[in-house]
Amino acid sequence: MFVDSVWQGKGSLSVTIYDIAKMAGVSPSSVSRVINQRPGVNTETRQLILKLLEKLNYSPNALARGLVYQSSKTIGILVADIRNIHHTDGAYHIERELITQGYCCIILNTGIDDAEKVHSIEILSHRRVEGVVMMGSVFQSDAVKAAISQSLKDVPVAIVNGWLDLPNVYGILSDEQGGVSACVEHLVSKGRRHIAFICDQPYNPSNTLKESGYLNSMRQWEKDPKAWSYRTENSLEGGYQATLKVLGEHPSVDGIIYSVDLLAAGGLQALHAKRIAVPGRLSIIGINNSTYAEICSPTLTSLDNKRMDASILAARMVIDHINGKSNTRRIMLLPDLIVRKST
Amino acid sequence: MFVDSVWQGKGSLSVTIYDIAKMAGVSPSSVSRVINQRPGVNTETRQLILKLLEKLNYSPNALARGLVYQSSKTIGILVADIRNIHHTDGAYHIERELITQGYCCIILNTGIDDAEKVHSIEILSHRRVEGVVMMGSVFQSDAVKAAISQSLKDVPVAIVNGWLDLPNVYGILSDEQGGVSACVEHLVSKGRRHIAFICDQPYNPSNTLKESGYLNSMRQWEKDPKAWSYRTENSLEGGYQATLKVLGEHPSVDGIIYSVDLLAAGGLQALHAKRIAVPGRLSIIGINNSTYAEICSPTLTSLDNKRMDASILAARMVIDHINGKSNTRRIMLLPDLIVRKST
DNA sequence: TTGTAGGCGTTATCAC
DNA sequence: GTGATAACGCCTACAA
């Protein structure tokens, strides 16, 4: 809706161009000219004004400027949960990229359900953001699509690892399906044939792609690979428990692909507990190529899905759109498998 | 300075209360009244206006509102590098806490050098933020202090794990010195006597405290503990190399405390490579009690310095200050040692 | 109940 | 070179 909360006045008035003008004995326009480095002001008065600006520690009001310029110089970053290290890296690069262009970033943790996402989109609309980056395939939903075409229809929206068919939406995708297939192929090349897939919940479009990548490749080796696909909560414990379950139901398992590194780390702990040698008897692969993968012992083979590059690209596409440069609306990055000790 | 960059006009004009007023055949003030749920407007016209607001998808301009209310409903979060998982958690809780109060957060990665920090503070000043949270002891510097008293003197500033003696600054500290002493005591209780300390660079006030905690406790056991204090870059590799160095220079070492978990994880890899049993022959402790500590094998004993609680408190103190409730300006949280398998 | 006028801080346009 | 004046979108007296 159009009212977020009770917005109450308060605030200590700061120095304005009127104050400066009065002290300098000139008009506000002259002060404005000096501030914006525009020509047409006597060198002496310019010096005087500059001195006063410095002395009174003048700080231009970005809100007022935004009003006249019709431009907030703000872009929004939407992320389900910024604690997800995977998204944080992206947010970092986006912020760094945008700050150099004079933009500030408003970051909102939307949570997972659609209502919250829609609400966040409305907040960004009120703030008159000039562009939005959404991190993660969870934003690839009908509700979000509707909200964008309602509240964000005039600004570029880049979705990292997602896509919506709207004229102002850019999609930076990763070939996760192909990537997981490559994981399967890699395991097969290591002699593995009984491969399971453990996926984090809740399901999102990205996970669907990963799973189908797994299933597609597996059909060559197993009759009913569906039964080897598991879901669990995205945590160390989730990976641990799911792995125990796989081992219990399919003692012959000799390879496991996890939808994220954290799950694989948990799985590794389960395998250690069960005294199953990795990669001796069983090989595992994670996804995201995060620090977690490097910390585990043995270090994890992991699929680098290029999320960092994707984030930077997303920021660039938003900026380019704002600057009138048009871009391809949908691009796909190809993942790399980083082979380490766990396979 | 007062000009960050060339701010150019652009933007597609959106629906204003004037548009709505015209369509409804009423004055803008009536529309405003309806939007702000103020009394004194006929039920029928209110209904009509509401309908039009909905239909035209009216979105209030937060910049304009901010101007009249003298309140941006924005708070700034300063963090040296948000990819530091330790800070991310904090940022998450701060954002969650503030969004419920109608605030948005602008996050700026300041980098480590003072000039950048000062610049970031000026940006926040232009945006008329109503409060600031700074994450990390790196903000405890004279340059930052000066910048705050120049550009942020009228808004509450909470520093997580830091403190500056200014009337509007709140400090949420952690007893890191005592915490590290507790680490030493713990190692001693496990029979360790030759304990080294490996610290991440660049040095910051927090690290200074950690080191003095180490040195103070060690004086009881060693004559010249200074020589056992090492510094290295904050990375897996940094921990790895520093650990090799310690082992080379002090073969008798039987305990290592690392200033952050990530370093300890790197150290663990070095110990594995050298086939040194942990905790059999050597015990190690990390700090932060992060996910890294849980992933390592053996899992890391780690000092929980309550950064999450500190972040939430910081947000609360800023909010309280804005709402006129006064708080203690400096509080200290006491760390807990989380004992796991590495000691 | 409703409308008018003034102002929030800034910039742009046009006179002088 | 300089200074009124009118926006930008909104809100709040005050008047009707």
Side-chain angles (χ1 to χ4, degrees), chain A residues 21-321:
Chain A
K22 195 170 294 175
M23 300 193 68
V26 299
S27 80
S29 333
S30 291
V31 179
S32 177
R33 280 192 266 269
V34 171
I35 291 171
N36 294 286
Q37 296 162 304
R38 301 229 190 296
V41 40
N42 191 335
T43 312
E44 287 179 27
T45 58
R46 158 164 279 137
Q47 289 310 321
L48 172 59
I49 292 173
L50 276 174
K51 197 170 298 178
L52 286 170
L53 287 170
E54 189 75 27
K55 187 176 168 193
L56 298 201
N57 200 244
Y58 171 79
S59 166
N61 188 322
L63 279 68
R65 275 189 170 173
L67 243 198
V68 320
Y69 282 136
Q70 296 279 298
S71 132
S72 63
K73 278 287 181 181
T74 304
I75 84 114
I77 299 180
L78 255 36
V79 44
D81 186 332
I82 201 180
R83 287 172 302 178
N84 185 327
I85 193 173
H86 198 213
H87 294 148
T88 313
D89 274 3
Y92 172 82
H93 291 288
I94 291 171
E95 196 271 335
R96 292 270 83 178
E97 184 79 25
L98 289 167
I99 198 77
T100 63
Q101 317 263 340
Y103 287 85
C104 275
C105 295
I106 287 182
I107 297 193
L108 262 31
N109 293 287
T110 66
I112 46 164
D113 67 89
D114 274 333
E116 280 193 277
K117 288 186 212 139
V118 170
H119 182 61
S120 299
I121 288 172
E122 284 167 358
I123 291 177
L124 293 183
S125 160
H126 299 170
R127 299 276 172 164
R128 296 294 188 269
V129 295
E130 296 175 52
V132 176
V133 177
M134 302 184 179
M135 309 278 296
S137 69
V138 285
F139 291 96
Q140 188 177 308
S141 83
D142 288 339
V144 170
K145 184 174 179 181
I148 291 177
S149 58
Q150 274 247 322
S151 310
L152 250 30
K153 63 171 167 301
D154 296 318
V155 303
V157 175
I159 306 181
V160 175
N161 207 27
W163 153 259
L164 291 168
D165 190 10
L166 287 171
N168 59 321
V169 170
Y170 294 84
I172 299 87
L173 302 156
S174 167
D175 181 17
E176 311 217 69
Q177 186 167 345
V180 174
S181 287
C183 293
V184 174
E185 298 307 323
H186 174 70
L187 288 175
V188 167
S189 78
K190 296 283 183 176
R192 307 307 184 180
R193 289 297 181 278
H194 307 298
I195 303 169
F197 177 65
I198 296 179
C199 195
D200 62 294
Q201 280 177 324
Y203 243 43
N204 55 41
S206 163
N207 285 344
T208 307
L209 286 176
K210 290 173 185 168
E211 188 178 44
S212 62
Y214 162 73
L215 293 174
N216 285 348
S217 295
M218 286 305 290
R219 277 192 242 288
Q220 304 175 28
W221 312 99
E222 295 284 338
K223 287 178 190 163
D224 184 21
K226 186 79 184 172
W228 294 61
S229 183
Y230 289 75
R231 301 183 185 188
T232 186
E233 152 202 323
N234 187 4
S235 68
L236 216 49
E237 180 66 14
Y240 190 96
Q241 295 301 340
T243 302
L244 289 184
K245 196 168 177 203
V246 171
L247 291 170
E249 297 182 4
H250 304 284
S252 65
V253 62
D254 58 9
I256 306 180
I257 298 170
Y258 296 84
S259 65
V260 294
D261 289 333
L262 187 63
L263 284 184
L268 200 51
Q269 295 184 339
L271 296 169
H272 284 337
K274 286 285 185 182
R275 309 216 176 280
I276 293 175
V278 177
R281 213 201 90 192
L282 195 153
S283 298
I284 68 175
I285 297 184
I287 297 183
N288 282 357
N289 192 35
S290 62
T291 302
Y292 296 153
E294 298 177 65
I295 284 181
C296 289
S297 81
T299 53
L300 285 180
T301 291
S302 185
L303 187 71
D304 179 0
N305 46 14
K306 308 290 175 185
R307 201 61 66 92
M308 196 186 89
D309 294 344
S311 304
I312 297 175
L313 269 171
R316 294 240 175 90
M317 290 172 99
V318 166
I319 290 275
D320 283 351
H321 182 113

Side-chain angles (χ1 to χ4, degrees), chain B residues 77-82 87 107-111 133-135 139:
Chain B
I77 299 180
L78 254 36
V79 44
D81 186 332
I82 201 179
H87 294 148
I107 297 193
L108 262 31
N109 293 285
T110 66
V133 176
M134 302 184 180
M135 309 276 297
F139 291 96

